[in-house]
Each structure stands twice: as C-alpha cells, then as structure tokens.
Amino acid sequence: CSCLGAAWAQTPPTSQVSVYGTLDVAVAQRQLAAQDAVRNVDSGLMETSHLGFRGSEDLGGGLKAQFDVSTFLRPDTGESTRGIPGEAFWSRSAWVGLSGDWGQVRLGRMSTLNFVNMMRFSPFGPAAGLNPVFLHTYIGSAAQPLTTIAGATDSGWNNTLAYTSPNWAGLTVAAQAAPSEGGPAGRRWGGSVVYAPAGQPLAMAVVYDRTERASLTFPLAFPTLGGAVPPLTGQQFSMWQLAASWDFGVAKVFGQWFDGQIDGTRPGPPPPDKTLKLRTWQLGATVPWGSGALLASVAQSRRDLSAGGSSDAQDATRTTVSMGYDYSLSKRTDLYAVGMSDRVTRLDGGTTWALGARHRF
Amino acid sequence: CSCLGAAWAQTPPTSQVSVYGTLDVAVAQRQLAAQDAVRNVDSGLMETSHLGFRGSEDLGGGLKAQFDVSTFLRPDTGESTRGIPGEAFWSRSAWVGLSGDWGQVRLGRMSTLNFVNMMRFSPFGPAAGLNPVFLHTYIGSAAQPLTTIAGATDSGWNNTLAYTSPNWAGLTVAAQAAPSEGGPAGRRWGGSVVYAPAGQPLAMAVVYDRTERASLTFPLAFPTLGGAVPPLTGQQFSMWQLAASWDFGVAKVFGQWFDGQIDGTRPGPPPPDKTLKLRTWQLGATVPWGSGALLASVAQSRRDLSAGGSSDAQDATRTTVSMGYDYSLSKRTDLYAVGMSDRVTRLDGGTTWALGARHRF
Amino acid sequence: CSCLGAAWAQTPPTSQVSVYGTLDVAVAQRQLAAQDAVRNVDSGLMETSHLGFRGSEDLGGGLKAQFDVSTFLRPDTGESTRGIPGEAFWSRSAWVGLSGDWGQVRLGRMSTLNFVNMMRFSPFGPAAGLNPVFLHTYIGSAAQPLTTIAGATDSGWNNTLAYTSPNWAGLTVAAQAAPSEGGPAGRRWGGSVVYAPAGQPLAMAVVYDRTERASLTFPLAFPTLGGAVPPLTGQQFSMWQLAASWDFGVAKVFGQWFDGQIDGTRPGPPPPDKTLKLRTWQLGATVPWGSGALLASVAQSRRDLSAGGSSDAQDATRTTVSMGYDYSLSKRTDLYAVGMSDRVTRLDGGTTWALGARHRF
C-alpha cells in the first residue's frame, strides 16, 4: 500500500501525492470511412486510458504549488502510448505550477486550450474513438489524412508557459505560449475566454490558437483518390473555436464551430503556396435517463483548398454521427454502448459500435 | 508521500489505489545447457521484479469494479522489461474488471491460465530463472530454442476477455479468449478447472489453451546441431496441463504434466506440414524448515518431431533439477540460496547458483 | 488516491510505499562554451526531475528491508530520460537492501559514491545544468567532449553490490563494486570515507572509484579544433575526490579537488597507449539571505594528454562560474534565478541564465 510512507531523511513530511487514472476497455467493431471493419478488444474509445501522479502543497497566504505528470496507456496491449509510436512516456501531462488569488501559472507539457474546450462542449467529451468532433479535430485517419489544424499540432504542447485567471463570476481567461526550440513543431500560442457561471444553465467559450514557423508534412487527401500526392508542408496553423452549452434539465445541448486554416507549400503546379481551410460544426445533447444518460452528437467538417491546383479529391465533406447510452455503476465506474457512422465524400462509409467499461481511480 | 491526496475537481473522493511490487536481486552464476557460465549481479531469478497499481471499488449489492496495471522491471540495470527488447511497458497486466456473486469478468492484457497454474503447482513458483518447469515451458533459451507451446505464445495475452467463476466449495472454473486482430499472434482461447478446497491438503487443476491462425517462426533445435535450420513456422499451438499438490504438513508435494503440440510448416524436404510434440513433467516438494523452507523440483521435457524429416537433433530430452533454501525474514522479505543443473541430449550441461534477496511491497 | 488500498489476497497488510519526486522547470537561455545560445522552456537545470517509489520494512531486531526505484523525467517534453536516448526507464535507482546495526547492504542500480559526494560538497548540488563542478565531471558537452572520468562511466552503476557503514560519531565508510558482465562498461569498484559530525561546522570526504577492462570511445577534443580525431578508447578510468565544507553560520563554504586519469588507446602516431589526466577544483559558498540563500561556485578543470602525440587542442582549461539566488516558498518548493559563465581555452565563451521553479513531493 502506498500510504504511511516511511520517513525518508531528505524528504519533508508534508508531501501529498495522488495516484490517479482511468482504464477504458471495450469489445468493439471499428470502421471509419474507407476502412475495413475490425472486431477486437480495444481501449481508449470512450476515454484515453491513463495513469498519473499529481499533488498540491499549501504555501500559505493563498499560494499553492501544484504538479501533474501522467502517461497514456492501452490496457488491451499494455503499451504506454495513445498509439503514436515513439511517443514520450509522460505525453499526457508533465507540469509544475503556482496558484494564488491572481490565478495559476504552469510550466511544462500540457493540453491545449482548444483541446480542453473541444472535449468540454461535446457530449462524448474525451472519447477519442467515439466522439465525432474529437475524430474530426484531433485524430488523424485514413479517411481524413490532414485531420485539422489541431490534430497536426497535437493536443498537448511541449515547453509551455500557461496562465489561467481566477474565476470572476463565471468568467475565466487563459493563455498559453510555447517557444520554438528549433524543431519542426514551430512556436505556438493561444488563448481562451470561458463564461460558465455557477448554478446557471449557460456555458460558452471562445478559443484561439496558432502555430508559426512549423514544418509539418501531410498527405493532402485519401491515398486512393487523385490529388493526394505530393504532400502539403504546413507552416502556419490557426484555429478558432466558438462553443456553447445550455442545460435544460431534461437535456443538455451542445454546439461548436471550428474555423481552421493551414498556410503551407506544396511541390507541383504553381503557385507553391497553398491555403487549406477546415471548418467543423458539432451539435449534440445528453439526456439523463435511468442511472445514466443518452448521448448523441453529430459533427460535420468541410475542407477547401485554395490558391490554385485544387482538385475534387481535395475538397471534401465528412459527417460523423454517434449515439449511445452511458450507464453509471457509480461516480467512478460506467458501462457504455455506442454506435457511430462515419461518411466522407467519395469514400465508402464506416460503422463502429462499442460495448465497454470505464473505471476511474 | 502518496496519501492524503489533494481533492481534485474532477475526481470523486472515494478512489483507492494500491502501489505494489516485488524486487528480486541476486549474486549469481548462470549457465543453462550449452551456455558459458556468467557470474553477475542479476535480477528476476526467484521472481520477475515488477511494480504495479491496482484497486477495487465497492459498487454496492456485492458488485465490485477492479483494475490492475503493472510493469516488469530489472533492478540490476533499471530496465523496464523482463528482458524482451521492445516489450510494452505494462506487459505484466493491464485490465479492468467487474466481480459479483456470479464471478468476475476482466478485459485487457493478463496472464494465461496455463501460466498461472504452472507457477501455482511448482515449488519454485514465479522463479523465472530457477524453477525447472518455468524454464521448460515459458523461457526460450539457446539450449531449448523452441521452448514449448506456451513460451512461444507468451505468458500474457493481449486483448483478452476472461471469466472466473466464484469458488464453489473449492471448485473454480475459468475461461479466457482473445480475438485475432490480424497480427502473427493469432486468436487464442483457454479454460481451467481448479479444485482446491479450503483447509484440505489436496489441490488439483486441469488447464487447456490453444492458439490458432498464428504465424510464429522459431529455430527448431540448438544452433550448433544439425537440423536447426530452416526454422519452423507454427500456426496452431495447444497445451494441456494436469497438476496436483498434497500438503502432508511436514512437506508439500507437487506434480505436473504438460502435453503440448505445435502444427506448422517448414521449408525443405516434403511434406511441409510438421507436428511438434512437447511433453513435460515436474515433481517437487517444499519442506518447512526453520524460518523458511527447503525447495526441490525436477522437470523433464521430451520433444518429438513427426511427419517426416526428423533428425536426431530435433528429438531431444531436457532434464533440469533445482534445490534450495528460502529463508523468510518476514512475510514480505526473504533471502534464498538455490542451485540448479540443466542437461539436454547431446549438449554440455550447465550449473547455476544464486544467492539473493526478494522484497515485496 | 493511493491510500487505503484494498486488501489484496496475496499481499501482506504491512507494506509501505512512498511515491516521491522532484519537478524542476525553468525559462532559460542555455549556452556553454562554443555553443549557440538557445532560449527555451527547459527542465532539470536546478535538479534532474524524477519520480520514484521507495519503502522500508521493519524486520525486528533493528533489521530493515529497504528499496528504491526511480525514473528521470523531463517535464518540458514529457520524456522519461535525463536526455540520454535509449536510457533504461529506472536509470535513477533500482535497488533492494538490508540494514542493521552493522550498516546497510544494497544490490541493484544506484548512484556512485563520487557522484553523491560531488553534489554534497558543492553549493548548487544536483543542478545538472547550473552547477559548475557537475558540468565538469558528469555532463558531456560539445565544449568538453571527454568530460571526465566520471561522466564517461555514468553517475549510476548497474549490477552494483554496495556497503555503507553505520555512522560512527560522524564517520561513515562506504564501498561499491560492480562485476564486469562482458559489455563495454567493464568492472567497477570504489570507496569513500566521509566525516561529518552532527552539530559541528566541518564535513569532509575522500572518495575513489575505478573502472577496469572497459572499452568506451570518445572524441578527444572539441570537433572544430585540431586533434579531435581519431577518438580515444578508454580502458581504465580512475578518480580521486577530496572535499570539505565549513559552516560559518553567515556562510557555508565548499571546496573540492578531483584528480582523474584515463588510460586508453588511440589510433595514429605511436605509441598507441595514451594517458589522459583531468584535474578539477571547485570553490563555493552558500549565504542564507531572506527566505532563501545566495549561491556561488567556480570550478576549473585542466586536461593533459601525455605519452606523445599531444597537441595544443588536447590540453585545455575550462572555467565555469555560477551565481544565483534560491528563494524558498516552503521546504519543498523554491524559485531560483541563476547566471553562469562557461569558458574554455581557444573557444568562445557561453552565458547561461535561468528563472525556474522546483517542487519536491
């Protein structure tokens, strides 16, 4: 057991660490547009499994020191990643911070503001395999090679300096910046304004982030379609998010709008400079029902390539719909059944279903 | 210290995690048949060192949610594997489950039923470097290239759905299945019946597991002997285990019988289809003595290659004998001294000894 | 939360594990001699960040079992190393030990005696990026390709058997040995005598360690200077350390002397056998001031290559000076501002500064 730890010479006695995490495993059939269906025991569909260590120290005068380090993991195979080969072990979070009356400052690797609010304002939240808007904005797939601005630049940023304001009657302002350290990831910054007054049905958010001086190369379309090659090298990425939710009691409804742009270069017919626009909307609802909730969400993305050389294969629309029931055995443990349809212009559609269990600790 | 964790907004307050593990380090000389002797500081001889996180949540009405994630580690070098390069970090276990009056269901990566009972019914149990029957069934070595059915397909399975019955007056039934997800590991299933009535001297088990549609390639014999190449590609693996123990008080005796078969193909003289049979027996005893126990075990395996093309080099017998004393400093900490002899037909024998310490937490 | 762990069938109830660690992140400009300046969010400058698990079990009669496993990590990127690619996960420590009236015996991977005392007798202690003597003895850099004896053979040894005596009125004797297991690291042994009487201002240490039968190849000088190639292959490494500190109350002063030698071979003009001598001294002080301390330290190293073939590029002097203020928010959390100058014969000097936060848990 990890408590009652032995007094250790060099460690002061007041430290506090929580071991926390989530394990999510399902029996599933997965099939995105243009993919073959695969039946398997899978993980991370309803929430990316993870294990972490965090803590807080009261420094007096309202000041606190805080930290969080956590790793993704896949309980179906025992791997310590989200599925990205070679990913750093503590990719989920690794930061230390100070908070006080004036807000919180953090330094390290952490989730981006667009990512956090993408989850917050969608019914399926952290469901990397089942949340339509998550798939459209942060998960690369064969059906959507250049997912969006956000997916290209990761849901977490290295080397980040972040500020979060106190909650002023429901209003919270946050900003993040990460310097370029020479590599292809470039330099990044972003900000958000969230209004979510306690005890009120309304919550809303405006978020923006931007990546500059990057050099990230992607295929531009589904490989079997014309125009997929040569790939695009994106240099500047930006994304706006407008999001809102309203809790009617019998149902909570969600809406999101993402407007993203990638400026980059592509070998081939002139001009070499290309601008790729990706726009996504999401509508959804959660309906409390029995010891759980019905969940429904639809997301649609449209991709436009301007500045010449555009072909049919490059402009495309993707529509993804998920519906399911999430049954709570307790506040920490739930069972879920979810079905999802994924359709992309000119590609065969895909159907996914999952029966799973999630446990938080 | 890891207790008194700070209340964290999104985490309910009732979670329970245990940090647990075992560290096993020894000064040893290791030499299996046909190997050179190596003297070193080694780890994992008496038990594969590991570190894990597990917990249980009471859901009411007898229902519980449970989880376990754990990693192997080697305290002599700091590596996070059993010694298999590139192994997934959480290879020891990564599952989430529900249990109730009706038994327990688990999903994820976990030990196989044959593996668990191989340890249970042998005096040296988890001693991956010193338990004769462990070496014969799950540890590949230069002296035994194609260890057995079990070693080829790993002691843990990915993507597993498992059921364990309640204990009915000593009787427990378990089943595991893992779908093929396309890779070379194939699809796997198995079951066990264990009878171990509380307070009685007798315990016994019947276990079976099977791997189908695999594609796992191995050298067929010791490299310096004829017939080692070309390698065999095993497609279907099956193993029966019959095991029993009887506790006489002054001594507890153990017996095991493993009957394994690999059906595969091999380039070279026709017919290409080969059937390899591996049969292992183990006899052993533990004798309580002072603040510890004397341990002794002998395992013998015989390998037969049928369906033509057999040479002397491919049929072989291996006999391994271990004797030692395990001294308990407490229920969690022990010191041990073990000697082992390993002999294989037509190869030079090997002698191993180890003086080690094991600590569980 | 990691306490109140569920009782687990096979685990005795008395176990004790502490989760501990340090996270250190800074905004910094880093520039050693002959390097370009890089501004970034960095980690590990004031102390290499880490996360570990340790515990102690009382075995009665004054006997205790102890263990420690810990991993380095980099909060700026989430990586689980000090920055050495492919490094084992538990590289910081992985050992199990027994202690009693007679001292402590440990087995596994652990820090060397020279390394521990290098930190103890310098004002900046574990500051891998800001402590001059740490940089000179254990951190390879473009400005100092063959850092010293110590850096070449790592600050931690695998496969180590260690003894530490009880504290006899301030006197402690320790010894470590690690057998050669065939690889290029060779066999290693060392010892230390530390005199640090409780309540007295004086502390002093004599340390020696030695690596034999190694085969470690290094560039011999800064790449752009003559004589850098061909590289040296070191076979025998030895290092003496003499260190002392005196606490005057208003200030604590530190002094260290390192005398190291590498015997090796180098292709090229005869004779092939070379002896490289590296001598380092350090002087420093900590001055308590407000809720923190002023820190200052200077280290100078001189490198001499004897036995023929020496060129100007190979004999060199490096001088590094650091000054800073370390402000304690609590015993566990501090903020720091440090500046450092690094100068090497015939190379451009470098200037480093860092503003950082460190939190221990």
Side-chain angles (χ1 to χ4, degrees):
Chain A
C1 171
S2 57
C3 38
L4 306 173
W8 212 262
Q10 68 272 40
T11 306
T14 55
S15 53
Q16 296 179 331
V17 183
S18 292
V19 181
Y20 73 94
T22 293
L23 293 174
D24 174 45
V25 193
V27 177
Q29 171 183 293
R30 296 187 73 175
Q31 184 192 30
L32 298 181
Q35 291 184 347
D36 292 328
V38 179
R39 290 191 188 181
N40 58 7
V41 173
D42 213 332
S43 67
L45 295 179
M46 199 64 165
E47 183 168 352
T48 307
S49 301
H50 56 270
L51 173 73
F53 304 87
R54 62 187 169 200
S56 177
E57 182 195 18
D58 192 335
L59 300 167
L63 201 63
K64 285 183 183 176
Q66 292 162 325
F67 73 93
D68 191 0
V69 292
S70 57
T71 175
F72 294 113
L73 69 99
R74 298 164 75 189
D76 54 337
T77 61
E79 290 170 286
S80 59
T81 70
R82 284 170 284 183
I84 299 175
E87 181 174 54
F89 191 82
W90 304 106
S91 285
R92 190 173 176 276
S93 62
W95 56 261
V96 60
L98 283 177
S99 67
D101 297 341
W102 40 266
Q104 184 190 39
V105 168
R106 293 179 293 160
L107 267 175
R109 179 173 168 87
M110 65 195 73
S111 296
T112 69
L113 296 168
N114 253 322
F115 180 66
V116 166
N117 285 289
M118 176 280 290
M119 294 191 290
R120 176 174 187 167
F121 289 94
S122 57
F124 286 91
L130 298 168
N131 183 353
V133 73
F134 197 134
L135 285 162
H136 284 220
T137 54
Y138 284 91
I139 303 291
S141 78
Q144 196 87 344
L146 183 61
T147 308
T148 74
I149 290 85
T153 60
D154 202 355
S155 59
W157 287 349
N158 287 349
N159 307 308
T160 303
L161 175 59
Y163 169 73
T164 308
S165 79
N167 186 323
W168 295 305
L171 191 76
T172 309
V173 176
Q176 291 184 345
S180 171
E181 299 193 358
R187 72 177 189 193
R188 295 143 296 170
W189 55 271
S192 69
V193 179
V194 176
Y195 181 64
Q200 301 293 321
L202 174 72
M204 50 192 294
V206 181
V207 194
Y208 178 72
D209 65 33
R210 188 172 177 86
T211 297
E212 296 164 346
R213 302 185 196 170
S215 178
L216 300 164
T217 297
F218 305 86
L220 198 52
F222 190 72
T224 60
L225 297 178
V229 289
L232 177 78
T233 298
Q235 280 136 5
Q236 201 159 284
F237 301 72
S238 65
M239 184 161 73
W240 281 101
Q241 179 184 174
L242 302 177
S245 64
W246 192 280
D247 193 341
F248 291 100
V250 295
K252 184 175 181 180
V253 294
F254 299 87
Q256 286 174 307
W257 169 253
F258 295 87
D259 190 328
Q261 182 169 323
I262 302 175
D263 297 308
T265 58
R266 189 186 186 207
D273 295 340
K274 308 288 177 187
T275 295
L276 185 76
K277 291 180 185 291
L278 295 112
R279 297 191 183 89
T280 299
W281 58 259
Q282 185 263 135
L283 286 175
T286 59
V287 180
W289 197 64
S291 298
L294 293 163
L295 311 174
S297 178
V298 55
Q300 187 174 80
S301 295
R302 179 158 177 82
R303 188 166 61 182
D304 302 302
L305 182 68
S306 63
S310 174
S311 76
D312 283 350
Q314 291 152 5
D315 290 349
T317 299
R318 181 185 188 187
T319 308
T320 308
V321 182
S322 288
M323 299 187 70
Y325 184 62
D326 186 18
Y327 178 76
S328 296
L329 290 165
S330 74
K331 285 190 180 179
R332 292 169 47 215
T333 305
D334 56 329
L335 304 177
Y336 56 86
V338 179
M340 183 176 79
S341 157
D342 184 42
R343 306 202 167 266
V344 177
T345 313
R346 288 179 304 281
L347 299 177
D348 292 333
T351 303
T352 295
W353 55 257
L355 299 172
R358 171 171 51 177
H359 178 67
R360 300 186 188 95
F361 55 91
Chain B
C1 168
S2 58
C3 38
L4 305 174
W8 213 261
Q10 67 273 42
T11 306
T14 56
S15 54
Q16 295 179 332
V17 183
S18 291
V19 181
Y20 73 94
T22 294
L23 294 174
D24 174 46
V25 193
V27 176
Q29 172 184 293
R30 295 187 73 176
Q31 184 191 30
L32 299 181
Q35 290 185 347
D36 291 329
V38 179
R39 289 189 190 181
N40 59 7
V41 173
D42 213 332
S43 66
L45 296 178
M46 199 63 165
E47 183 168 351
T48 307
S49 300
H50 56 270
L51 173 72
F53 304 87
R54 61 187 169 201
S56 177
E57 182 196 17
D58 193 334
L59 299 168
L63 201 63
K64 284 183 184 174
Q66 291 161 328
F67 72 93
D68 191 0
V69 293
S70 59
T71 175
F72 294 112
L73 69 98
R74 298 165 75 188
D76 53 337
T77 62
E79 291 169 285
S80 59
T81 70
R82 284 171 284 183
I84 299 175
E87 182 174 53
F89 191 83
W90 304 106
S91 285
R92 190 173 177 276
S93 62
W95 56 260
V96 60
L98 282 177
S99 67
D101 298 340
W102 41 267
Q104 184 190 39
V105 168
R106 292 180 293 160
L107 266 175
R109 179 174 168 87
M110 65 195 72
S111 295
T112 68
L113 297 168
N114 253 322
F115 181 66
V116 166
N117 286 289
M118 176 280 291
M119 295 191 289
R120 176 173 187 168
F121 290 94
S122 58
F124 287 90
L130 297 169
N131 184 352
V133 72
F134 197 134
L135 285 162
H136 283 220
T137 53
Y138 284 91
I139 303 291
S141 79
Q144 196 88 343
L146 182 60
T147 308
T148 73
I149 290 85
T153 60
D154 202 356
S155 60
W157 286 350
N158 287 348
N159 306 309
T160 303
L161 175 59
Y163 169 73
T164 308
S165 79
N167 187 323
W168 295 306
L171 191 76
T172 309
V173 176
Q176 291 184 345
S180 170
E181 300 193 359
R187 72 178 190 192
R188 294 142 297 171
W189 56 271
S192 70
V193 178
V194 176
Y195 180 65
Q200 302 292 321
L202 175 72
M204 50 192 295
V206 182
V207 194
Y208 178 73
D209 65 33
R210 188 173 177 85
T211 297
E212 296 165 344
R213 302 187 196 170
S215 178
L216 299 164
T217 297
F218 305 86
L220 198 52
F222 190 72
T224 61
L225 297 178
V229 289
L232 177 77
T233 298
Q235 280 136 3
Q236 201 159 284
F237 299 72
S238 64
M239 185 160 73
W240 281 101
Q241 180 183 174
L242 301 177
S245 65
W246 190 280
D247 193 342
F248 291 100
V250 295
K252 184 175 181 180
V253 294
F254 299 86
Q256 285 175 306
W257 170 253
F258 294 86
D259 190 329
Q261 181 168 325
I262 302 174
D263 297 307
T265 58
R266 190 186 187 207
D273 295 341
K274 307 287 177 188
T275 295
L276 186 75
K277 289 179 186 293
L278 296 111
R279 297 192 182 89
T280 299
W281 57 259
Q282 186 262 134
L283 286 174
T286 60
V287 180
W289 196 64
S291 297
L294 293 163
L295 310 174
S297 177
V298 54
Q300 187 175 78
S301 294
R302 178 157 178 83
R303 188 167 61 182
D304 302 301
L305 182 68
S306 62
S310 175
S311 76
D312 283 351
Q314 292 151 5
D315 291 347
T317 299
R318 182 185 189 186
T319 308
T320 308
V321 182
S322 288
M323 298 187 69
Y325 184 62
D326 186 19
Y327 177 76
S328 296
L329 289 164
S330 75
K331 286 190 178 177
R332 292 168 47 213
T333 305
D334 56 329
L335 304 177
Y336 56 86
V338 179
M340 183 176 79
S341 157
D342 185 41
R343 306 202 167 266
V344 176
T345 312
R346 287 178 305 279
L347 299 178
D348 291 334
T351 302
T352 295
W353 55 258
L355 299 172
R358 170 171 52 178
H359 178 66
R360 301 186 188 94
F361 55 92
Chain C
C1 171
S2 58
C3 37
L4 307 173
W8 212 261
Q10 67 272 42
T11 306
T14 56
S15 53
Q16 295 178 331
V17 183
S18 291
V19 181
Y20 72 96
T22 294
L23 294 175
D24 173 46
V25 194
V27 176
Q29 171 183 293
R30 296 187 73 176
Q31 185 191 29
L32 299 181
Q35 290 185 347
D36 292 329
V38 179
R39 289 190 189 180
N40 58 8
V41 173
D42 213 333
S43 66
L45 295 178
M46 198 64 165
E47 181 168 352
T48 307
S49 300
H50 56 270
L51 174 72
F53 304 87
R54 61 187 169 201
S56 177
E57 181 196 17
D58 193 335
L59 300 168
L63 201 63
K64 283 183 184 175
Q66 291 161 327
F67 72 93
D68 191 1
V69 293
S70 58
T71 175
F72 294 112
L73 68 99
R74 298 166 75 189
D76 54 336
T77 61
E79 290 169 286
S80 58
T81 70
R82 284 171 285 183
I84 299 175
E87 181 173 52
F89 191 84
W90 304 106
S91 284
R92 190 173 176 276
S93 62
W95 56 261
V96 60
L98 282 177
S99 68
D101 297 341
W102 40 266
Q104 183 189 40
V105 169
R106 293 179 293 159
L107 267 175
R109 179 174 169 87
M110 64 195 73
S111 294
T112 70
L113 296 168
N114 254 322
F115 180 66
V116 167
N117 286 289
M118 176 279 291
M119 294 191 290
R120 175 173 187 168
F121 289 93
S122 58
F124 287 91
L130 297 168
N131 183 353
V133 73
F134 196 134
L135 286 162
H136 284 219
T137 53
Y138 285 91
I139 303 291
S141 78
Q144 195 89 345
L146 183 61
T147 307
T148 74
I149 290 86
T153 59
D154 202 356
S155 60
W157 286 349
N158 288 348
N159 307 308
T160 304
L161 175 59
Y163 168 73
T164 308
S165 79
N167 187 323
W168 295 304
L171 191 76
T172 308
V173 176
Q176 290 184 346
S180 170
E181 300 194 359
R187 71 178 190 193
R188 294 142 298 171
W189 56 271
S192 69
V193 179
V194 176
Y195 180 64
Q200 302 292 321
L202 174 72
M204 49 191 295
V206 182
V207 194
Y208 178 73
D209 65 34
R210 188 173 177 85
T211 297
E212 296 164 345
R213 304 186 195 170
S215 177
L216 299 164
T217 297
F218 305 85
L220 198 52
F222 190 72
T224 60
L225 298 178
V229 290
L232 176 78
T233 298
Q235 281 135 5
Q236 202 159 283
F237 300 72
S238 65
M239 185 161 74
W240 281 101
Q241 180 184 173
L242 302 176
S245 65
W246 191 281
D247 192 342
F248 292 98
V250 295
K252 184 175 181 181
V253 294
F254 300 87
Q256 286 174 306
W257 169 254
F258 294 87
D259 190 328
Q261 181 169 324
I262 302 175
D263 297 307
T265 59
R266 189 184 185 208
D273 296 341
K274 307 289 178 187
T275 295
L276 186 75
K277 291 180 185 291
L278 295 112
R279 296 192 184 88
T280 299
W281 59 259
Q282 185 262 134
L283 286 174
T286 59
V287 180
W289 196 64
S291 298
L294 293 162
L295 311 174
S297 177
V298 55
Q300 187 175 78
S301 295
R302 178 159 177 83
R303 188 166 60 180
D304 302 302
L305 182 68
S306 63
S310 175
S311 77
D312 283 351
Q314 292 151 4
D315 291 348
T317 300
R318 182 185 189 186
T319 308
T320 308
V321 182
S322 288
M323 299 187 69
Y325 184 63
D326 186 17
Y327 177 77
S328 296
L329 289 165
S330 73
K331 287 191 177 177
R332 292 168 47 214
T333 305
D334 55 331
L335 304 176
Y336 56 87
V338 179
M340 184 176 80
S341 158
D342 184 42
R343 307 203 166 265
V344 177
T345 313
R346 286 179 305 279
L347 300 177
D348 291 334
T351 302
T352 296
W353 55 258
L355 299 172
R358 170 170 52 177
H359 178 67
R360 301 186 188 95
F361 54 90

